[in-house]
Amino acid sequence: MLALIVGPLVGEVPWPNIEWGFTTLAFGELFNNWTIFGLGMPPLEMFVIGLPAVISTYIILFGDVIQAKCLLEDAGKKRPDEYIDFDANRSNMIFGARNVLMGIFGPTITLCGPLAAAMQVVVCERFKLGPKTMGSINSGAISYRYGTAVGYFLLPIVSLVKPVLGIALAATLLIQGFVSFRVGVTKSRTVNDLGIAGVMAAVIAVKGAAWGLAAGAILCFFVNLSRSKEHESEIAAELEPSMAPDASK
């Protein structure tokens, strides 16, 4: 709402042009231009080229599951009145089956992840305020999703927020990045883990998934190799006094 007011006033975005009615659903365009039924199966070469991106995506999705678990555990500590039933395996099966169906009938990359971090943060933070604010974490998530789903079909809402979609996306990515970084720091076991993750993130941002994975693998190898050597030297230093001959004898 702030972006809708401040954005046009400073000339960053145009004023919204409110339209009335319902959103036109482009199922024909989706079927013909986005699915295998309209485009046909992609060549085998595309699957091979996409392998680094697939591996990177798996790592990111694995992090999303950990992130969801951390957010829900943190919310549960503030609300002992409700037991939050989170099962990572169950979640994997649910969004895995969903993505198979979406990949065939309606590929939408932005909706294929297991977690909408900004939505999860909003729901969890509001849940922490108590039962009067949100009765259940499940009802909060469902209400949020029902609200957005209805908004998609109402043209006045779509036309109202359309000018600030770029700002909304930037805010969403900022929240996603903040939460991901916070969870990553708390889950890292050593400072070396943080260093490797930081270098990988920078390389992925600049050079892409394949280079980032290669950089991470090389760093993990050399850092762990040096760490094992340091550990062996420490053990040797501890054993030396006990193995040395007793001068008093």
Side-chain angles (χ1 to χ4, degrees), residues 1 3-5 8 13-20 151 154-165:
M1 294 304 297
L4 285 171
I5 299 172
V13 296
W15 288 99
N17 181 24
I18 305 298
E19 302 177 28
W20 301 97
L154 299 179
L155 199 54
I157 295 179
V158 174
S159 57
L160 175 67
V161 301
K162 189 175 181 179
V164 296
L165 286 179

Side-chain angles (χ1 to χ4, degrees), residues 139-180:
S139 64
I142 293 172
S143 298
Y144 193 108
R145 181 49 60 207
Y146 280 177
T148 53
V150 172
Y152 294 150
F153 292 97
L154 299 179
L155 199 54
I157 295 179
V158 174
S159 57
L160 175 67
V161 301
K162 189 175 181 179
V164 296
L165 286 179
I167 299 174
L169 177 60
T172 301
L173 292 177
L174 285 173
I175 297 173
Q176 173 79 52
F178 172 79
V179 175
S180 298

Side-chain angles (χ1 to χ4, degrees), residues 179-241:
V179 175
S180 298
F181 187 76
R182 187 182 70 176
V183 172
V185 169
T186 57
K187 289 296 182 181
S188 297
R189 297 181 179 179
T190 65
V191 177
N192 288 333
D193 293 341
L194 290 175
I196 294 173
V199 172
M200 286 186 68
V203 175
I204 289 174
V206 175
K207 300 292 291 184
W211 284 95
L213 287 173
I218 294 171
L219 281 172
C220 283
F221 175 76
F222 283 108
V223 169
N224 290 324
L225 182 65
S226 62
R227 186 187 303 172
S228 62
K229 286 185 176 181
E230 291 175 1
H231 185 59
E232 289 177 358
S233 61
E234 291 174 359
I235 294 176
E238 293 177 358
L239 293 176
E240 279 180 1

Side-chain angles (χ1 to χ4, degrees), residues 12-36:
E12 184 70 20
V13 296
W15 288 99
N17 181 24
I18 305 298
E19 302 177 28
W20 301 97
F22 298 96
T23 304
T24 302
L25 302 179
F27 283 114
E29 181 180 354
L30 174 67
F31 185 85
N32 293 323
N33 299 329
W34 292 89
T35 69
I36 58 175

